[in-house]
Amino acid sequence: MKIAFVLSVFDNPKQANCFIQQAISYKGSTVFVHIDAKKQDIGEQIIKDKNVIVLPKHFDVSWAEYSQIEMYNYLFSSVLEYGKFDYISLNSGNDLFIRPVKDFIDYLNDTRLYAYYNCEPLPKSYWQFRGGYGRIAVWWPKCMLRRLPNHHPLRYLRTLYGQLYHYHLIPGRKLPDNIRFIGGNDWFTISQDCLTDMMGYINSHKEWNKIFYHSYIGTEIYYVTLFEMLKGDRPVCDKNNLRFVDWKPRGQKKNTGSPNILTMECLQDIIDSKRFFGRKFDCRKDQEIVDYFMTHYL
């Protein structure tokens, strides 16, 4: 089986290299790496290997902006141009395998699904702004689309702006009636058929991208909506994206909406999850847990 791991790296090449080492320990792996334009120099620190491709183009990616979608689509287009794979897995530079790579390959071989992701139809009860519709129906100013400290004034302004839409005090644009919008997670594993269908739709429906130009965290709607639209009668796993993410209150200082950095405190929960990937790790915060999974699953 041939697997393409599609990796977005914003900083911390040491951490990204840990995942890359794990991935290429399986001989059928190819890792495609995008380095953010703000950190182009770290590309030289990425592992040199015939199965590691550091892409030449660098997008200046900002959290919650359309630039994330542009960057992901560049990665996916690069995979299609390179060759044919059985599966394509979208990961970040802060991921690690938390089970042997062989277990992941065996699972894909045994199940052979169209795609593996998490999703629910909009409106989602726990998403702001009319259950998530405000993310794409409202025109979001760039100044609000930044990762902000919890008590930053612009964070409050962003919430207020979204609430005005929620309570019908400002209009949103009309969304296409023929599309059933889905919300979920923007980390997933998809088959070659899914990738081909997805990029074919994106390239032939220019109006699709226009919906997301001024969206707020549009990545969490863009891809899973396409998967649900294009799957037809092919089987999918739409409630498990194969990744462990920790949201427990552990006293970490972090932005609202961000998962915990995985530490040794999380170890038993990680193991018990029986997922294949964990996110997010940071060797600058806890080298011990990174060493644990590198030792056991490399």
Side-chain angles (χ1 to χ4, degrees):
M1 177 176 280
K2 293 179 66 178
I3 306 288
F5 292 98
V6 176
L7 207 62
S8 57
V9 178
F10 296 91
D11 66 355
N12 199 359
K14 180 181 177 183
Q15 182 63 58
N17 281 336
C18 291
F19 177 81
I20 293 170
Q21 282 182 269
Q22 290 180 310
I24 62 176
S25 69
Y26 172 67
K27 295 188 185 305
S29 295
T30 303
V31 182
F32 296 81
V33 182
H34 172 267
I35 306 292
D36 190 85
K38 295 182 285 296
K39 296 280 188 175
Q40 288 187 44
D41 57 317
I42 69 174
E44 289 302 312
Q45 300 173 54
I46 296 298
I47 288 172
K48 306 296 188 294
D49 187 273
K50 63 182 176 63
N51 292 325
V52 178
I53 300 169
V54 178
L55 297 177
K57 191 171 181 178
H58 305 276
F59 286 85
D60 186 356
V61 181
S62 296
W63 177 80
E65 284 191 20
Y66 180 71
S67 56
Q68 284 189 295
I69 293 172
E70 287 184 296
M71 179 264 291
Y72 288 152
N73 285 349
Y74 169 58
L75 278 160
F76 292 132
S77 296
S78 299
V79 171
L80 278 181
E81 290 172 9
Y82 185 85
K84 193 166 184 177
F85 295 89
D86 295 283
Y87 282 94
I88 300 88
S89 182
L90 176 62
N91 295 87
S92 85
N94 298 106
D95 287 5
L96 282 179
F97 276 92
I98 55 175
R99 286 174 60 184
V101 181
K102 183 181 182 301
D103 285 5
F104 177 60
I105 302 304
D106 288 346
Y107 177 77
L108 296 178
N109 256 322
D110 291 343
T111 54
R112 289 283 180 173
L113 301 184
Y114 184 69
Y116 307 79
Y117 51 95
N118 287 336
C119 77
E120 296 174 41
L122 297 187
K124 292 179 70 168
S125 60
Y126 51 93
W127 275 13
Q128 294 177 300
F129 319 138
R130 293 193 215 168
Y133 279 112
R135 293 188 182 197
I136 51 177
V138 173
W139 188 95
W140 289 89
K142 282 182 80 76
C143 66
M144 295 183 188
L145 302 181
R146 288 189 286 149
R147 242 187 221 289
L148 300 164
N150 287 337
H151 300 294
H152 193 285
L154 276 175
R155 180 183 280 273
Y156 293 111
L157 182 61
R158 182 169 68 204
T159 300
L160 174 62
Y161 184 65
Q163 292 288 49
L164 290 174
Y165 168 77
H166 182 84
Y167 290 109
H168 303 273
L169 297 173
I170 59 171
R173 60 181 165 168
K174 180 171 172 50
L175 297 170
D177 292 327
N178 63 333
I179 296 177
R180 179 174 178 249
F181 287 97
I182 309 293
N185 190 280
D186 57 356
W187 306 107
F188 45 78
T189 300
I190 59 177
S191 64
Q192 176 76 33
D193 284 348
C194 181
L195 176 65
T196 303
D197 293 344
M198 179 179 78
M199 296 310 298
Y201 184 92
I202 291 167
N203 292 330
S204 61
H205 294 76
K206 301 303 181 185
E207 68 278 6
W208 172 250
N209 282 340
K210 292 179 182 178
I211 297 170
F212 295 86
Y213 282 165
H214 299 286
S215 63
Y216 169 54
I217 323 182
T219 52
E220 295 184 346
I221 298 172
Y222 185 99
Y223 293 102
V224 291
T225 297
L226 287 177
F227 300 158
E228 287 289 291
M229 185 192 310
L230 298 171
K231 67 182 182 182
D233 59 0
R234 289 167 292 192
V236 300
C237 174
D238 60 9
K239 299 301 178 199
N240 179 1
N241 68 352
L242 315 181
R243 288 138 173 88
F244 174 80
V245 182
D246 186 68
W247 297 96
K248 284 187 176 181
R250 298 186 190 270
Q252 292 189 22
K253 186 178 180 182
K254 57 192 177 67
N255 285 334
T256 303
S258 294
N260 291 318
I261 293 171
L262 298 175
T263 66
M264 287 302 289
E265 181 185 1
C266 311
L267 181 60
Q268 196 57 52
D269 288 338
I270 295 171
I271 294 169
D272 290 344
S273 76
K274 301 192 182 304
R275 302 292 174 99
F276 296 101
F277 307 103
R279 65 174 311 269
K280 48 192 183 178
F281 293 89
D282 189 339
C283 55
R284 298 167 299 190
K285 303 288 186 182
D286 192 328
Q287 182 68 52
E288 186 180 2
I289 195 162
V290 173
D291 289 343
Y292 177 90
F293 286 108
M294 291 299 291
T295 300
H296 286 74
Y297 305 132
L298 177 57

